[in-house]
Amino acid sequence: MTTLPANNPFRRGPQGADRTWPLLGYAAVTAALLIFLRGSVADGPARLLQPVLFGAFLLSLLFAYQWRAAPWAKTAVFALGIVFVLPFMGRDNTSYFDLVIQMLIFGALALGLNIVVGLAGLLDLGYIAFFAVGAYLWGVFGSPQFAEVSGNAAFATGINANFFWLFIPLGVLAAALVGVLIGLPVLKLKGDYLAIVTLGLGEVIRIFANNLDVTNGPQGIDAIESAPVPWLNSLAGTLGFAPDQYRLFFLYILVLIVIGIVILVNYRLDRSKIGRSWIAIREDEVAAQAMGVPLLRTKLLAFASGASFAGAMGVIFAAKQTFIDPKSFDYFQSIGVLSMVILGGMGNIAGVLLGAVVVTMLNLMILPTISEVLQGSFPNINPNLDPSKYQRLIFGLVLVLMMLYRPEGLLPSARRQAEMHQDDDPPPDSLEADNALQAGTSEVLSPGFSTRGENERTGSER
């Protein structure tokens, strides 16, 4: 198992000089630019500045987490962003609200997959299936589809929308149960074999949704309700939100609460006995089993824990979109969530959230904005040059570059950083200091040292 050196420069926690005032200054400047320039960058080629300004402001939240600064300053920056700037921008332009909610939903999904892949080391390519379970669970009951399924016209708009609150924990339980059922037959596999089987099982869920009458097949389910919260609507109205924005305002608050719980659970699991067991399995299954870690039970717990987050977010996703169909849960969605984990940094909560923000911004804001500006500036441009059509190509190139130049991710955990760069450290010199046979060279030769040239002797012969 990898151990962190005492002088590891990537040790968790803020390092360096105190940056309280630079943090406050950066957050204030980027927030002011985002708010006061929003009208200037609303049309024409200047729209290209929208993702720049928005991304620069979101960086202030990352800096508040990473930089060494006074706790009150960090709290002020988070409060500025979550309580004031993001709702203000969402009220002015609903697309910001929609984007932020999507970021948080995918952030929670990525945190769930981070348990399976980042902590337990189980490559799951069918993770989006658990998301689909939660979404269809509420989609069927919270829409007119329930009247079709039950044959009772009294449910023309679905069951009472207040049951939405009940279906969030039900989504957690249903997804966890499916996770255990899927995990039981496949967790004896490892590596590529496990990835292939989970990919197949994920597709099975999507194909079921595509062919069953209860899910309305490929037509999907529409008019999905969300919970009515009159007092929150009154608050939104007092804050100046339009009635058609009440739903997004409610979902923004709800997703913030849920992702706060997800982060807290991830944090506690990472530092718990079960978290250390997952890491031990990821590092070396045989060694972990020899130390008394029950492999199947621990792996199943990882599958169930990761799936439960996806189930809860599936319920919220269905309420937000008001429409779901099998295409919403295809294989590429699983790859997208996995990419968020890899891009941000496996095993690190902040890194995974950063990956979710970057990927979601790329998919929903950056590429569509470039596409719209190009079409507006050059109406006769060849449609094949539309950047949004090359979303997966661009994203694949980004991942290739990441694997080449920063395989540990944008914001890796200290353990992951040490694993990926352990070869960068100088070789241990204890053997050299005590062994006169190796005096004058730092290379340690073993009897099984492989030859590199045709006539070169082996290590034992040398």
Side-chain angles (χ1 to χ4, degrees), residues 148-185:
E148 298 287 335
V149 174
S150 63
N152 189 341
F155 298 113
T157 59
I159 62 174
N160 190 321
N162 284 308
F163 281 104
F164 174 79
W165 301 108
L166 175 63
F167 273 74
I168 292 179
L170 286 179
V172 170
L173 295 175
L177 178 62
V178 173
V180 171
L181 293 177
I182 288 180
L184 270 175

Side-chain angles (χ1 to χ4, degrees), residues 34 37 40-41 45-55 96 369:
L34 181 64
L37 293 182
S40 304
V41 298
R47 287 194 61 191
L48 293 174
L49 290 176
Q50 279 186 351
V52 175
L53 294 175
F54 192 58
Y96 281 102
T369 301

